[in-house]
Amino acid sequence: MWAMQKLMGRKSTVGPAAHRGTSIEAGVEMGLFDPTASVEACQELAIARFNQLTALSGHPGVDKERAAIAPAVAIGLAELRQYGVPEAADGNRQHRIEVALPGVPVPFIGWLDFWFPEHGIIVDLKTQLRLSSKISDPHARQGAIYHAAHGNNEIRFAYVTPQKIGVYRLEDPGL
């Protein structure tokens, strides 16, 4: 990757912001599935994941994105640990869903981030540098598909930033 970026002038299709999101989710996931894990251990795991994913990246935004990881993991855990431990699925922490819609020739396939069946809540974690004030349209469509797969559950989106978190409920999940 380094040679492609530095010597050949080719850019990676995934930038450090995407890797930040993946890494924050890994740290939050660790802390939710293991409530005894310290916030610091979850942060260390998240930063290690980011460093692994960006090890050969020459992107100028790597340091800025890395700096956002530890505070976002702490804020995400502070909010989401109140839901308890999510349910795991057949050894996987995320739940695979497949939804066939009338008139659509292929099914939608996705993965639920955190499912809390005892509360009837599905939470999808989104990471940002600035907090959204509402669920975006693409995320609302994603939530509608989740609702089609698990209709008796409330769908929530947790937008976490290095400064704060906003958890929004999908009001009308119909397709």
Side-chain angles (χ1 to χ4, degrees), residues 146-170:
Y146 290 172
H147 191 267
H150 291 281
N152 59 337
N153 287 272
E154 181 178 298
I155 309 299
R156 295 183 185 179
F157 287 89
Y159 292 92
V160 66
T161 75
Q163 296 82 28
K164 54 188 161 187
I165 189 169
V167 180
Y168 308 115
R169 181 178 171 265
L170 186 62

Short mmCIF file of all heavy atoms in Angstrom, two decimals, residues 146-170:
data_model
loop_
_atom_site.label_atom_id
_atom_site.label_comp_id
_atom_site.label_asym_id
_atom_site.label_seq_id
_atom_site.Cartn_x
_atom_site.Cartn_y
_atom_site.Cartn_z
N TYR A 146 -33.21 -3.48 8.76
CA TYR A 146 -33.06 -4.18 10.04
C TYR A 146 -34.42 -4.46 10.66
O TYR A 146 -34.67 -5.52 11.22
CB TYR A 146 -32.23 -3.35 11.02
CG TYR A 146 -30.77 -3.22 10.69
CD1 TYR A 146 -29.96 -2.36 11.41
CD2 TYR A 146 -30.17 -3.95 9.66
CE1 TYR A 146 -28.61 -2.23 11.14
CE2 TYR A 146 -28.83 -3.83 9.38
CZ TYR A 146 -28.05 -2.97 10.12
OH TYR A 146 -26.72 -2.85 9.85
N HIS A 147 -35.31 -3.49 10.56
CA HIS A 147 -36.65 -3.65 11.13
C HIS A 147 -37.42 -4.73 10.39
O HIS A 147 -38.15 -5.50 11.00
CB HIS A 147 -37.42 -2.32 11.09
CG HIS A 147 -38.68 -2.36 11.89
ND1 HIS A 147 -39.89 -2.68 11.33
CD2 HIS A 147 -38.91 -2.14 13.20
CE1 HIS A 147 -40.82 -2.65 12.26
NE2 HIS A 147 -40.24 -2.32 13.41
N ALA A 148 -37.23 -4.81 9.07
CA ALA A 148 -37.88 -5.86 8.30
C ALA A 148 -37.39 -7.24 8.74
O ALA A 148 -38.15 -8.21 8.73
CB ALA A 148 -37.63 -5.66 6.80
N ALA A 149 -36.14 -7.32 9.14
CA ALA A 149 -35.58 -8.60 9.60
C ALA A 149 -36.00 -8.92 11.03
O ALA A 149 -36.19 -10.09 11.37
CB ALA A 149 -34.05 -8.56 9.51
N HIS A 150 -36.13 -7.91 11.87
CA HIS A 150 -36.46 -8.09 13.29
C HIS A 150 -37.53 -7.07 13.68
O HIS A 150 -37.27 -6.16 14.48
CB HIS A 150 -35.22 -7.90 14.18
CG HIS A 150 -34.20 -8.97 14.03
ND1 HIS A 150 -34.33 -10.19 14.65
CD2 HIS A 150 -33.05 -9.03 13.32
CE1 HIS A 150 -33.29 -10.95 14.34
NE2 HIS A 150 -32.50 -10.27 13.53
N GLY A 151 -38.71 -7.20 13.13
CA GLY A 151 -39.77 -6.22 13.26
C GLY A 151 -40.22 -5.88 14.66
O GLY A 151 -40.80 -4.84 14.88
N ASN A 152 -39.98 -6.76 15.62
CA ASN A 152 -40.44 -6.48 16.97
C ASN A 152 -39.41 -5.72 17.80
O ASN A 152 -39.56 -5.58 19.00
CB ASN A 152 -40.83 -7.78 17.68
CG ASN A 152 -39.66 -8.75 17.74
OD1 ASN A 152 -38.73 -8.67 16.95
ND2 ASN A 152 -39.71 -9.67 18.68
N ASN A 153 -38.35 -5.22 17.16
CA ASN A 153 -37.30 -4.51 17.87
C ASN A 153 -37.25 -3.04 17.46
O ASN A 153 -37.50 -2.71 16.30
CB ASN A 153 -35.93 -5.13 17.57
CG ASN A 153 -35.76 -6.45 18.25
OD1 ASN A 153 -35.32 -6.52 19.39
ND2 ASN A 153 -36.12 -7.53 17.58
N GLU A 154 -36.93 -2.21 18.42
CA GLU A 154 -36.71 -0.79 18.14
C GLU A 154 -35.31 -0.64 17.54
O GLU A 154 -34.36 -1.27 17.99
CB GLU A 154 -36.81 -0.02 19.45
CG GLU A 154 -36.63 1.47 19.31
CD GLU A 154 -36.80 2.15 20.66
OE1 GLU A 154 -37.89 2.06 21.25
OE2 GLU A 154 -35.81 2.77 21.11
N ILE A 155 -35.20 0.20 16.53
CA ILE A 155 -33.92 0.43 15.87
C ILE A 155 -33.39 1.78 16.34
O ILE A 155 -34.08 2.80 16.25
CB ILE A 155 -34.07 0.45 14.33
CG1 ILE A 155 -34.83 -0.78 13.83
CG2 ILE A 155 -32.71 0.60 13.67
CD1 ILE A 155 -34.18 -2.11 14.13
N ARG A 156 -32.14 1.77 16.82
CA ARG A 156 -31.49 3.00 17.26
C ARG A 156 -30.14 3.12 16.57
O ARG A 156 -29.46 2.13 16.34
CB ARG A 156 -31.28 3.02 18.77
CG ARG A 156 -32.57 3.03 19.56
CD ARG A 156 -32.31 3.10 21.04
NE ARG A 156 -33.56 2.98 21.78
CZ ARG A 156 -33.65 3.00 23.09
NH1 ARG A 156 -32.54 3.12 23.82
NH2 ARG A 156 -34.81 2.88 23.69
N PHE A 157 -29.77 4.35 16.29
CA PHE A 157 -28.45 4.65 15.74
C PHE A 157 -27.70 5.47 16.78
O PHE A 157 -28.19 6.49 17.25
CB PHE A 157 -28.54 5.41 14.42
CG PHE A 157 -28.99 4.52 13.29
CD1 PHE A 157 -30.33 4.36 13.01
CD2 PHE A 157 -28.07 3.82 12.53
CE1 PHE A 157 -30.75 3.53 11.98
CE2 PHE A 157 -28.47 2.98 11.51
CZ PHE A 157 -29.81 2.83 11.23
N ALA A 158 -26.52 4.99 17.13
CA ALA A 158 -25.67 5.68 18.09
C ALA A 158 -24.53 6.33 17.31
O ALA A 158 -23.65 5.63 16.79
CB ALA A 158 -25.13 4.72 19.13
N TYR A 159 -24.59 7.64 17.18
CA TYR A 159 -23.54 8.41 16.50
C TYR A 159 -22.56 8.88 17.56
O TYR A 159 -22.89 9.72 18.39
CB TYR A 159 -24.15 9.62 15.78
CG TYR A 159 -25.03 9.26 14.60
CD1 TYR A 159 -26.40 9.10 14.75
CD2 TYR A 159 -24.49 9.11 13.32
CE1 TYR A 159 -27.22 8.79 13.67
CE2 TYR A 159 -25.28 8.80 12.24
CZ TYR A 159 -26.64 8.64 12.42
OH TYR A 159 -27.44 8.34 11.34
N VAL A 160 -21.35 8.34 17.54
CA VAL A 160 -20.36 8.68 18.55
C VAL A 160 -19.25 9.52 17.92
O VAL A 160 -18.81 9.26 16.80
CB VAL A 160 -19.80 7.43 19.26
CG1 VAL A 160 -18.99 6.56 18.32
CG2 VAL A 160 -18.96 7.80 20.48
N THR A 161 -18.85 10.55 18.66
CA THR A 161 -17.76 11.43 18.25
C THR A 161 -16.73 11.43 19.38
O THR A 161 -17.00 10.89 20.46
CB THR A 161 -18.24 12.88 18.01
OG1 THR A 161 -18.47 13.51 19.28
CG2 THR A 161 -19.49 12.95 17.16
N PRO A 162 -15.60 12.07 19.21
CA PRO A 162 -14.64 12.17 20.32
C PRO A 162 -15.14 13.05 21.47
O PRO A 162 -14.58 13.01 22.56
CB PRO A 162 -13.40 12.79 19.67
CG PRO A 162 -13.54 12.54 18.22
CD PRO A 162 -15.01 12.51 17.94
N GLN A 163 -16.21 13.84 21.24
CA GLN A 163 -16.71 14.74 22.28
C GLN A 163 -18.02 14.29 22.91
O GLN A 163 -18.29 14.56 24.07
CB GLN A 163 -16.94 16.15 21.72
CG GLN A 163 -15.70 16.86 21.24
CD GLN A 163 -15.30 16.44 19.82
OE1 GLN A 163 -16.13 16.06 19.01
NE2 GLN A 163 -14.01 16.51 19.53
N LYS A 164 -18.90 13.62 22.13
CA LYS A 164 -20.22 13.26 22.65
C LYS A 164 -20.85 12.18 21.80
O LYS A 164 -20.31 11.78 20.77
CB LYS A 164 -21.12 14.49 22.73
CG LYS A 164 -21.26 15.27 21.44
CD LYS A 164 -22.01 16.57 21.68
CE LYS A 164 -21.75 17.54 20.55
NZ LYS A 164 -22.31 18.84 20.80
N ILE A 165 -22.03 11.75 22.23
CA ILE A 165 -22.77 10.72 21.51
C ILE A 165 -24.22 11.15 21.39
O ILE A 165 -24.76 11.81 22.29
CB ILE A 165 -22.65 9.35 22.22
CG1 ILE A 165 -23.25 8.22 21.36
CG2 ILE A 165 -23.27 9.38 23.60
CD1 ILE A 165 -22.92 6.81 21.88
N GLY A 166 -24.83 10.81 20.30
CA GLY A 166 -26.26 11.02 20.12
C GLY A 166 -26.88 9.69 19.74
O GLY A 166 -26.42 9.04 18.80
N VAL A 167 -27.89 9.26 20.48
CA VAL A 167 -28.58 8.01 20.17
C VAL A 167 -29.98 8.39 19.72
O VAL A 167 -30.74 8.99 20.47
CB VAL A 167 -28.62 7.06 21.38
CG1 VAL A 167 -29.35 5.77 21.02
CG2 VAL A 167 -27.21 6.76 21.88
N TYR A 168 -30.29 8.03 18.47
CA TYR A 168 -31.56 8.41 17.87
C TYR A 168 -32.37 7.17 17.51
O TYR A 168 -31.85 6.20 16.98
CB TYR A 168 -31.33 9.25 16.61
CG TYR A 168 -30.41 10.43 16.85
CD1 TYR A 168 -29.18 10.51 16.21
CD2 TYR A 168 -30.78 11.44 17.72
CE1 TYR A 168 -28.33 11.58 16.42
CE2 TYR A 168 -29.94 12.52 17.95
CZ TYR A 168 -28.71 12.58 17.29
OH TYR A 168 -27.87 13.66 17.53
N ARG A 169 -33.65 7.23 17.80
CA ARG A 169 -34.58 6.14 17.51
C ARG A 169 -35.17 6.33 16.12
O ARG A 169 -35.60 7.44 15.78
CB ARG A 169 -35.68 6.15 18.57
CG ARG A 169 -36.71 5.07 18.41
CD ARG A 169 -37.72 5.17 19.56
NE ARG A 169 -38.80 4.28 19.31
CZ ARG A 169 -39.94 4.63 18.72
NH1 ARG A 169 -40.14 5.87 18.35
NH2 ARG A 169 -40.88 3.74 18.52
N LEU A 170 -35.20 5.25 15.36
CA LEU A 170 -35.83 5.30 14.04
C LEU A 170 -37.33 5.34 14.25
O LEU A 170 -37.92 4.38 14.73
CB LEU A 170 -35.40 4.08 13.21
CG LEU A 170 -35.86 4.06 11.76
CD1 LEU A 170 -35.27 5.24 11.00
CD2 LEU A 170 -35.45 2.76 11.10
#
